[in-house]
């Protein structure tokens, strides 16, 4: 292959990038910031392995979601609608909406906290501003199309990355401690709770629902001859997006572990910001806050978009954008108005997301392994086996969390 043809092929592949980067915003939302920063501050480098494992799992899950949309021409919610009775569709939609509200809670709270840090605004005012600005971002997708939305979201993803990578360049973590954190281990029920939250914050249910629709809407349903090439480009798209998201997640934990030293018993995001400022300087602390703000603004718009995809796919119903935005932001506004610790609410919201994961992962694996559904691109048996292990790990972690909570261990 000549250099010119290789460059032409690379440009063609790059032109197919985008959907995974929108989905990747879900993997660097304020819930990730809260859980990863708390994990680093409280347990040091102990839970590094959770971040790495969760992002490896995310690569597989997001690719399967995109592949489903491309091979069938239907989103995951649409595929489920065609296979569930009416009562099952309603019950499934109800749990998906609870997950969507937990998602929006995390994202609006994160934006509110960032605005409080940066401009000393009341949390309630910051939450409303976050919701309004995220709605404006959604209007880009509504009026300018998916590619314009992808460019805006990808730009915000770069801002998020800069915000959280800055601390690593100023004060790199000790390599030995990071490598030691790759060995799976827990330290009591608190670390299991955080691990479940980190998993829920990393492998996000709404991102799985959404990615199938994003891939389908970007590429349509490719012909049998075009499908292998688009799937190949999709693997690169997912790999690049998840690598960036995983690196940002790891940076969050490492900055907290390095700056706060581990062993911190109580932590809020404003306190983490102050600690980063004292340890690494005001510029790094400001970038931390800007990254958090970009995370809240981008992720809440993507989350609302995902909620619309779920409702439309399962129920064939759509709600005007502004109405849906108001409904999903109510829990966050109530939390802020009641004065509940927003950082604690962020962590708990991620645990709720973790419990919603089996409801999206099990159907995804069953559908993508079926030749009747996927045709010639059905999962290889090895892929299905790995996916089953992923689902089993999620369910096991959730059951362990329940047991530890009930027994008070």
């Amino acid at each position: 292959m000549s250099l010119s043809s290789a460059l032409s092929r690379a440009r063609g592949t790059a032109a197919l990038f985008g959907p995974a980067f929108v989905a990747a915003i879900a993997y660097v939302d304020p819930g990730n910031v809260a859980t990863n920063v708390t994990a680093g501050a409280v347990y040091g480098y102990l839970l590094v392995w959770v971040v790495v494992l969760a992002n490896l799992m995310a690569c597989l899950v997001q690719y399967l979601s995109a592949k489903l949309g491309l091979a069938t021409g239907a989103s995951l919610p649409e595929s489920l609608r065609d296979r569930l009775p009416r009562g099952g569709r309603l019950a499934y939609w109800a749990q998906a909406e609870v997950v969507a509200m937990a998602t929006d809670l995390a994202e609006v709270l994160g934006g509110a906290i960032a605005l409080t840090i940066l401009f000393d605004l009341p949390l309630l005012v910051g939450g409303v501003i976050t919701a309004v600005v995220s709605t404006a971002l959604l209007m880009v997708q509504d009026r300018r199309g998916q590619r314009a939305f992808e460019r805006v979201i990808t730009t915000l993803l770069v801002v998020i990355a800069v915000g959280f990578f800055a601390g690593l360049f100023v004060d790199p973590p000790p390599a030995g401690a990071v490598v030691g954190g790759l060995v799976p281990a827990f330290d009591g029920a608190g670390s299991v709770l955080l691990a479940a939250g980190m998993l829920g914050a990393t492998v996000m249910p709404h991102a799985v629902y959404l990615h199938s629709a994003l891939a389908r809407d970007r590429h349509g349903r490719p012909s049998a001859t075009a499908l292998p090439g688009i799937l190949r480009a999709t693997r690169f798209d997912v790999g690049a997006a998840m690598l960036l998201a995983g690196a940002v997640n790891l940076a969050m934990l490492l900055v907290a572990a390095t700056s706060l030293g581990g062993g911190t018993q109580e932590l809020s995001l404003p306190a983490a910001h102050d600690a980063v400022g004292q340890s690494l300087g005001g510029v790094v602390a400001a970038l931390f806050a800007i990254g958090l703000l970009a995370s809240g603004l981008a992720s809440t718009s993507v989350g609302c978009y995902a909620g619309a995809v779920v409702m439309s796919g399962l129920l064939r119903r759509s709600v005007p954008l502004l109405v849906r935005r108001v409904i999903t932001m109510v829990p966050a506004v109530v939390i802020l108005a009641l004065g509940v610790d927003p950082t604690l609410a962020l962590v708990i919201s991620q645990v709720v997301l973790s419990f919603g994961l089996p409801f999206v992962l099990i159907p995804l694996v069953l559908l993508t392994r079926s030749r009747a559904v996927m045709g010639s691109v059905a999962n290889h048996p090895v892929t299905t086996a790995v996916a089953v292990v992923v689902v089993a790990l999620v369910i096991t972690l959730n059951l362990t969390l329940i047991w530890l909570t009930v027994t008070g261990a």
Side-chain angles (χ1 to χ4, degrees):
M1 181 185 296
S2 67
L3 178 59
S4 60
S5 59
L7 290 174
S8 176
R9 181 173 179 177
R11 282 194 296 269
T13 299
L16 300 177
F17 278 29
F21 284 84
V22 174
I25 282 291
Y27 293 83
V28 290
D29 78 346
N32 291 83
V33 182
T35 52
N36 291 326
V37 168
T38 301
V42 177
Y43 296 102
Y45 304 96
L46 178 71
L47 299 179
V48 166
W49 67 274
V50 177
V51 175
V52 175
L53 178 63
N55 277 276
L56 290 174
M57 292 163 58
C59 285
L60 174 62
V61 168
Q62 293 303 141
Y63 174 68
L64 293 183
S65 176
K67 185 169 77 165
L68 176 68
L70 292 169
T72 65
S75 67
L76 176 56
E78 289 170 341
S79 295
L80 291 171
R81 178 192 67 209
D82 295 338
R83 292 166 174 80
L84 290 174
R86 184 174 184 276
R89 288 198 302 272
L90 290 172
Y92 194 94
W93 169 76
Q95 67 81 29
E97 286 295 340
V98 170
V99 169
M101 287 189 177
T103 301
D104 211 51
L105 170 66
E107 292 155 353
V108 172
L109 286 175
I113 293 170
L115 287 169
T116 297
I117 292 171
L118 287 168
F119 305 111
D120 200 26
L121 293 176
L123 282 171
L124 184 57
V125 174
V128 173
I129 291 174
T130 300
V132 170
V133 174
S134 66
T135 303
L137 291 176
L138 276 172
M139 299 306 291
V140 172
Q141 190 277 335
D142 191 48
R143 296 183 179 180
R144 301 287 298 276
Q146 183 173 325
R147 293 204 181 197
F149 184 64
E150 287 173 3
R151 286 193 290 270
V152 171
I153 296 300
T154 302
T155 300
L156 288 171
L157 181 58
V158 172
V159 173
I160 295 166
V162 171
F164 292 109
F165 276 125
L168 293 182
F169 288 104
V170 173
D171 185 14
V178 176
V179 172
L182 293 173
V183 179
F186 291 111
D187 183 13
S191 64
V192 178
L193 174 66
L194 267 179
M198 292 163 73
L199 183 62
T202 304
V203 185
M204 299 282 277
H206 75 282
V208 181
Y209 294 124
L210 179 60
H211 202 167
S212 57
L214 289 170
R216 184 270 317 273
D217 292 345
R218 167 65 94 86
H219 304 295
R221 186 175 184 178
S223 66
T225 54
L227 182 58
I230 292 179
L231 286 177
R232 182 169 55 250
T234 297
R235 285 193 289 272
F236 282 110
D237 187 27
V238 171
M242 292 300 106
L243 177 63
L244 177 57
V248 173
N249 277 312
L250 187 58
M252 295 173 190
L253 187 149
L254 296 180
V255 167
T258 303
S259 302
L260 280 69
T264 302
Q265 295 305 308
E266 295 184 7
L267 181 75
S268 65
L269 286 177
H273 166 265
D274 293 342
V276 168
Q278 293 172 7
S279 176
L280 304 178
V283 173
V284 174
L287 290 172
F288 178 96
I290 291 170
L292 177 60
L293 178 59
S295 168
L297 294 176
S299 57
T300 193
S301 60
V302 170
C304 190
Y305 185 14
V309 166
V310 170
M311 174 177 277
S312 174
L314 283 170
L315 304 183
R316 287 195 176 97
R317 297 285 187 274
S318 60
V319 173
L321 179 65
L322 291 177
V323 174
R324 182 170 187 87
R325 174 75 279 178
V326 170
I327 292 173
T328 55
M329 70 177 283
V330 165
V333 172
V334 170
I335 290 290
L336 292 172
L338 292 176
V340 176
D341 177 13
T343 304
L344 176 62
L346 276 172
V347 174
I348 296 301
S349 73
Q350 303 312 296
V351 176
V352 173
L353 296 184
S354 184
F355 282 103
L357 279 171
F359 293 98
V360 65
L361 295 185
I362 292 173
L364 179 65
V365 174
L366 292 176
L367 288 169
T368 54
R369 71 182 290 272
S370 169
R371 284 198 169 272
V373 175
M374 302 292 291
S376 61
V377 296
N379 293 346
H380 188 279
V382 174
T383 303
T384 298
V386 174
V388 168
V389 171
V390 168
V391 175
L393 283 173
V394 171
I395 295 174
T396 299
L397 188 58
N398 290 341
L399 291 176
T400 303
L401 175 60
I402 293 173
W403 181 79
L404 289 172
T405 301
V406 171
T407 60

